[in-house]
Amino acid sequence: MFLKQDDVILFQGDSITDAGRDYSDYSSLGHGYPLLIAGRLGHRYPEKNLTVLNRGISGNRAVDLQERWNEDCLALKPTVVSIYIGINDTWRRYDNGSVTTSQQFESSYRDLLERTTKSLDARLVLVEPFVLPHPEDRKGWREDLDPKIQVVRQLAREFGALLVSLDGLFAAACSKAEPSYWAGDGVHPSPAGHELIADAWLRTCGL
C-alpha cells in the first residue's frame, strides 16, 4: 500500500494548492484539494496516524519553490511529497512578459527533486499543470504550457514518481460541463474542480 504508518504528507505548489490557507497556522490546509484529500484519508485510515501539511503559496513558480525548499519541505521531513507547480511559469509570460523557458522550468524542478531524494526517503507525487480554454485568450497559453507539462511527465519517469495527469482529465471533464464550470478563469479550480484533483490524486496513489 502507498501509505505507511505515521506518514507526513506534504502538498507543495502555488495558489491551487494554497487555496486560501492561513499562513500563520502550521496545520492549515486551505479550502481546496489538500483539505479534501486529508479528510478522505483521515476517514478511511484513522489507524495510520497521518499528518497532512500544506505549504502552497499563491503566485509561486518553480524557482520560488527552490528558494524556500529547505524550510518549507526538507525541514518538515515529509515521507510523501506532492508537487503541483507550473501554471505561473506560463502565466507570467502573458501578464507581465516574464518568460520561463521549459529548460529553465526543468532545471528548477529537477533541483527540487534532486534535493528531496538526497535528503529524504520520501515517495514523490508530481501533479501536472493544466489550463482550460476559458476565457478565450487561455487557448494561446498552450504553446507555453504544453512543453512544461512534458517536462513534468519526463521527470516523473526519471525519478520514479507517481504522476497525476490533470491536463487530460480536465479536458475530458469539459465534455460533461463547460470549462468555466471546472475553473472560472481556466486555471483556478471550482469546488468541483478541486474534487476532480483530489479524486485523481487518490486514484493515482491507489487510495
Side-chain angles (χ1 to χ4, degrees), residues 159-180:
F159 284 84
L162 295 178
L163 175 70
V164 184
S165 303
L166 281 192
D167 192 54
L169 292 175
F170 269 97
C174 289
S175 68
K176 302 176 182 178
E178 291 293 325
S180 59

Side-chain angles (χ1 to χ4, degrees), residues 62-64 66 89 100 103-113:
V63 69
D64 299 308
Q66 276 184 285
D89 293 84
T100 301
Q103 291 80 11
Q104 290 169 327
F105 178 69
E106 178 179 354
S107 177
S108 294
Y109 211 135
R110 181 182 299 278
D111 178 61
L112 299 175
L113 298 175

Side-chain angles (χ1 to χ4, degrees), residues 66-79:
Q66 276 184 285
E67 292 176 0
R68 60 185 183 85
W69 205 242
N70 287 343
E71 177 184 0
D72 283 349
C73 178
L74 305 183
L76 302 174
K77 300 194 182 322
T79 54

Side-chain angles (χ1 to χ4, degrees), residues 69 73-74 81 112-120 122 124:
W69 205 242
C73 178
L74 305 183
V81 177
L112 299 175
L113 298 175
E114 288 177 344
R115 287 158 65 187
T116 302
T117 54
K118 181 178 179 179
S119 300
L120 304 172
L124 299 173

Side-chain angles (χ1 to χ4, degrees), residues 64-103:
D64 299 308
L65 293 191
Q66 276 184 285
E67 292 176 0
R68 60 185 183 85
W69 205 242
N70 287 343
E71 177 184 0
D72 283 349
C73 178
L74 305 183
L76 302 174
K77 300 194 182 322
T79 54
V80 176
V81 177
S82 177
I83 304 173
Y84 184 179
I85 200 71
I87 191 59
N88 289 316
D89 293 84
T90 285
W91 200 335
R92 295 294 82 81
R93 170 180 175 178
Y94 297 98
D95 69 357
N96 69 15
S98 179
V99 176
T100 301
T101 68
S102 57
Q103 291 80 11

